[in-house]
């Protein structure tokens, strides 16, 4: 992007509208920005966001303006998951994924592929034979190899890093008994990384998971990744998803995870960050997308907008986490928000369908929230 266009985009994005009520999502500050998020954190870590199909295909001008002004890294929210790329065996559909990569290249973005092997959003055929029975270990390994070689190979030299395996460890530190685990065993992770490296030896390869601040899960992830590395297979980074709330996880345990993971000699990334302002559906919920809690009115308290005091609390929480990331900027490669504006966030429907959440840095109109200037100033000082 040329410098004149950047200045114009920054000016447009920085215009703020006064609040008409204490429960308005609209930004109340009129202070013009002296910088953008990606500029403020330049040289420290990438600032990324996840794109949905409307954004990938540039159908939303407001979102496009925010993406190109404030972010320098992108990841596809859904279109690169296996159920979308290969819905039937041998039938690949790269239309949306191609457009995603083209968009990133056009704007000089740090492009991340997400995700190659995941128990969720995998097509059913992956694990079944013609009679509906589980396939053999050999067949599933070959299907993994073909899928990874085809997908990673298509974008060889164009994608900077891949989430190779997603969410293979449970909160108690044990292996998730997914179909990959049941049929192939623990080797499925090592094989996935091996196949990805074969397909593109120069791309970075990551393991990605949620609730990484839970001590037992932290240790389970550490041991699993160490096991893969010790086998001689490359792992370049660990992604901490950071689906956070106003009161969880603790900053201390998050820091412990950064230190523990980085001790393996790998990069640490914040991969899917948002901070929900809503009450949890039940205690100790993570980000397992199959979890659901029935709607109750008390679980959806801000249908008319976020009160000013909650906006301040949200801003303070974001500042805590960004301060931590800056403290460990020598270990952290990227901080990616999971969505552009509040209306894009999966947290509106998880784990309680039908709620209204406000977990991101930009509101439903893609107006910047008042505390974002604090994050910009924080980045510029460090």
């Amino acid at each position: 992007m040329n410098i004149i266009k950047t200045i114009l985009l920054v000016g447009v994005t920085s215009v703020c509208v006064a609040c008409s009520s204490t429960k308005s999502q609209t930004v109340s500050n009129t202070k013009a920005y002296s910088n953008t998020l990606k500029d403020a954190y330049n040289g420290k870590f990438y600032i990324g966001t996840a794109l949905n199909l409307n954004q990938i295909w540039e159908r939303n001008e407001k979102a496009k303006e925010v993406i190109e002004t404030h972010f320098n890294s992108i990841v596809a929210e859904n279109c690169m998951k296996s159920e979308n790329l290969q819905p039937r065996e041998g039938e690949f559909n790269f239309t949306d994924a191609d457009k995603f990569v083209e968009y990133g290249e056009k704007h000089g973005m740090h492009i991340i592929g997400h995700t190659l092997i995941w128990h969720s959003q995998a097509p059913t055929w992956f694990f079944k034979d013609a009679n509906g029975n589980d396939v053999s270990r050999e067949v599933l390994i070959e299907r993994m190899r073909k899928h990874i070689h085809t997908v990673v190979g298509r974008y060889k030299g164009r994608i900077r890093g891949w989430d190779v395996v997603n969410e293979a460890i449970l909160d108690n530190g044990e292996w998730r008994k997914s179909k990959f685990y049941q049929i192939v065993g623990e080797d499925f992770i090592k094989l996935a990384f091996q196949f990805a490296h074969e397909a593109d030896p120069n791309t970075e390869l990551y393991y990605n998971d949620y609730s990484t601040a839970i001590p037992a899960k932290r240790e389970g992830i550490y041991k699993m990744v160490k096991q893969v590395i010790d086998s001689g297979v490359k792992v370049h980074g660990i992604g901490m998803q950071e689906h956070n709330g106003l009161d969880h996880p603790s900053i201390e345990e998050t820091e412990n995870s950064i230190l523990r993971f980085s001790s393996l000699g790998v990069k640490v990334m914040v991969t899917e960050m948002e901070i929900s302002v809503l009450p949890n559906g039940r205690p100790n919920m993570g980000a397992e997308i199959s979890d659901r809690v029935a709607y109750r009115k008390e679980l959806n308290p801000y249908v008319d907008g976020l009160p000013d005091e909650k906006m301040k609390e949200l801003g303070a929480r974001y500042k805590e986490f960004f301060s931590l990331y800056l403290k460990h900027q020598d270990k952290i490669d990227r901080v990616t928000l999971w969505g552009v504006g509040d209306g894009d966030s999966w947290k509106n429907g998880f784990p309680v369908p039908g709620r209204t959440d406000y977990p991101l840095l930009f509101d439903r109109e893609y107006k910047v929230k008042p505390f974002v200037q604090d994050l910009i100033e924080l980045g510029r000082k460090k």
Side-chain angles (χ1 to χ4, degrees), residues 1-112:
M1 183 187 305
N2 62 49
I3 231 167
I4 294 174
K5 185 175 179 184
T6 302
I7 292 169
L8 288 173
L9 287 174
V10 171
V12 171
T13 304
S14 302
V15 174
C16 300
V17 181
C19 281
S20 58
S21 115
T22 57
K23 290 193 173 184
S24 170
Q25 287 176 262
T26 309
V27 175
S28 59
N29 63 318
T30 56
K31 182 178 179 180
Y33 283 170
S34 56
N35 213 328
T36 67
L37 284 165
K38 68 182 180 184
D39 291 335
Y41 290 87
N42 183 40
K44 302 172 178 72
F45 42 74
Y46 291 101
I47 298 290
T49 189
L51 304 188
N52 61 33
L53 289 183
N54 279 336
Q55 293 153 2
I56 289 167
W57 287 94
E58 302 183 64
R59 297 169 185 148
N60 187 322
E61 285 301 318
K62 291 180 180 178
K64 173 179 166 66
E65 195 172 278
V66 168
I67 293 161
E68 294 167 19
T69 299
H70 283 283
F71 299 102
N72 53 17
S73 179
I74 55 171
V75 61
E77 185 177 23
N78 283 303
C79 72
M80 300 187 90
K81 292 170 181 172
S82 57
E83 70 175 3
N84 294 317
L85 284 184
Q86 195 181 181
R88 288 167 294 280
E89 186 170 11
E91 296 180 19
F92 288 88
N93 181 359
F94 289 109
T95 303
D96 294 326
D98 284 352
K99 183 65 177 178
F100 164 74
V101 175
E102 289 166 9
Y103 180 88
E105 289 177 330
K106 181 170 68 173
H107 297 290
M109 300 282 196
H110 180 88
I111 305 170
I112 303 300

Side-chain angles (χ1 to χ4, degrees), residues 229-247:
I229 293 171
D230 287 349
S231 74
V233 174
K234 292 184 181 296
V235 179
H236 298 99
I238 296 176
M240 299 168 56
Q241 290 184 14
E242 298 295 279
H243 296 295
N244 298 335
L246 292 177
D247 58 0

